[in-house]
Amino acid sequence: MRHEVWPVVHAERAALAADLSRVPRARWSTPSLCPGWDVHDVLAHLVDDARTTRLGFLRGLVAARLDFDALNARGIARERAEDPQRTLARFRAVGTRTTSAPAAPATRLVEVFVHGEDIRRPLGLARACPPGPVAVALRHQAATRVSFGGGRERVDGLRLVATDTDLVLGASAEVRGTALALLLAVSGRPVRAGELTGPGSARLTDS
């Protein structure tokens, strides 16, 4: 699967860089969907994520005393330039890298899709993400515990039905929506009113 993930990741990075090339400097401080981070922070995190290697991740985690929040904060501080355009240039420079922390390949899809929307939605930008790869990311998030960055507890007792691709997960109270909207909600992000429907939708969006 790993060899199939990277072309999608590279395409999503390039698309995000193109979208952000038109954003004025004053808007880079817009709060993102990721709590506590503005859109500039999220982009810096994506730069750091792209530069991360397995060994570098382990060394950094030890230096951060196994505190993932501290590890991420250090990465953002390292990659966030004073001028957002310099951070964007760094993002373009790492756009085709294939290094990663020691994690499942699907996590790379989660990173680019969820963080891409963390940035785009508050800025009023939109992208038609490929539903097949988004569904792969969604399956991963639905099977991963919240404590490890997933959303398994959020979907317990729910039946997720993607309206734009062939994906049905779980049982009981149904939640319908695009794979991307479902991925965001499962990942703990807010979605727009009406993006998710079904008897389980309120439970998922309130979790």
Side-chain angles (χ1 to χ4, degrees), residues 1-62:
M1 176 182 171
R2 183 173 292 275
H3 69 286
E4 299 170 352
V5 164
W6 289 115
V8 177
V9 170
H10 296 163
E12 291 304 311
R13 287 172 179 167
L16 182 59
D19 285 346
L20 291 177
S21 67
R22 302 186 294 273
V23 174
R25 181 165 184 167
R27 300 214 61 201
W28 283 82
S29 59
T30 301
S32 77
L33 298 186
C34 190
W37 291 0
D38 63 22
V39 297
H40 194 177
D41 292 328
V42 178
L43 187 68
H45 170 71
L46 286 173
V47 176
D48 181 61
D49 181 68
R51 293 191 194 278
T52 298
T53 64
R54 289 174 176 264
L55 182 57
F57 173 82
L58 294 173
R59 286 175 172 169
L61 190 58
V62 170

Side-chain angles (χ1 to χ4, degrees), residues 15-185:
L16 182 59
D19 285 346
L20 291 177
S21 67
R22 302 186 294 273
V23 174
R25 181 165 184 167
R27 300 214 61 201
W28 283 82
S29 59
T30 301
S32 77
L33 298 186
C34 190
W37 291 0
D38 63 22
V39 297
H40 194 177
D41 292 328
V42 178
L43 187 68
H45 170 71
L46 286 173
V47 176
D48 181 61
D49 181 68
R51 293 191 194 278
T52 298
T53 64
R54 289 174 176 264
L55 182 57
F57 173 82
L58 294 173
R59 286 175 172 169
L61 190 58
V62 170
R65 298 184 178 182
L66 306 184
D67 184 332
F68 286 96
D69 290 338
L71 178 66
N72 286 333
R74 290 180 182 185
I76 290 172
R78 183 167 54 246
E79 300 298 346
R80 177 177 167 140
E82 182 177 351
D83 183 350
Q85 290 302 316
R86 286 184 57 200
T87 308
L88 183 56
R90 292 174 182 177
F91 183 58
R92 289 194 181 98
V94 300
T96 58
R97 285 181 63 95
T98 58
T99 55
S100 170
T107 62
R108 303 305 90 205
L109 297 175
V110 173
E111 284 283 305
V112 292
F113 290 133
V114 174
H115 284 320
E117 293 303 291
D118 283 341
I119 291 172
R120 285 191 178 96
R121 290 188 171 216
L123 292 176
L125 303 172
R127 172 167 171 75
C129 297
V134 174
V136 173
L138 176 56
R139 286 183 184 276
H140 175 82
Q141 287 296 80
T144 303
R145 298 185 69 86
V146 171
S147 58
F148 286 93
R152 193 169 84 188
E153 295 88 339
R154 296 188 184 101
V155 302
D156 185 38
L158 297 178
R159 182 173 185 261
L160 307 182
V161 180
T163 56
D164 56 347
T165 189
D166 184 19
L167 180 142
V168 178
L169 292 176
S172 194
E174 186 170 285
V175 185
R176 299 179 64 87
T178 65
L180 185 60
L182 289 168
L183 174 62
L184 291 176

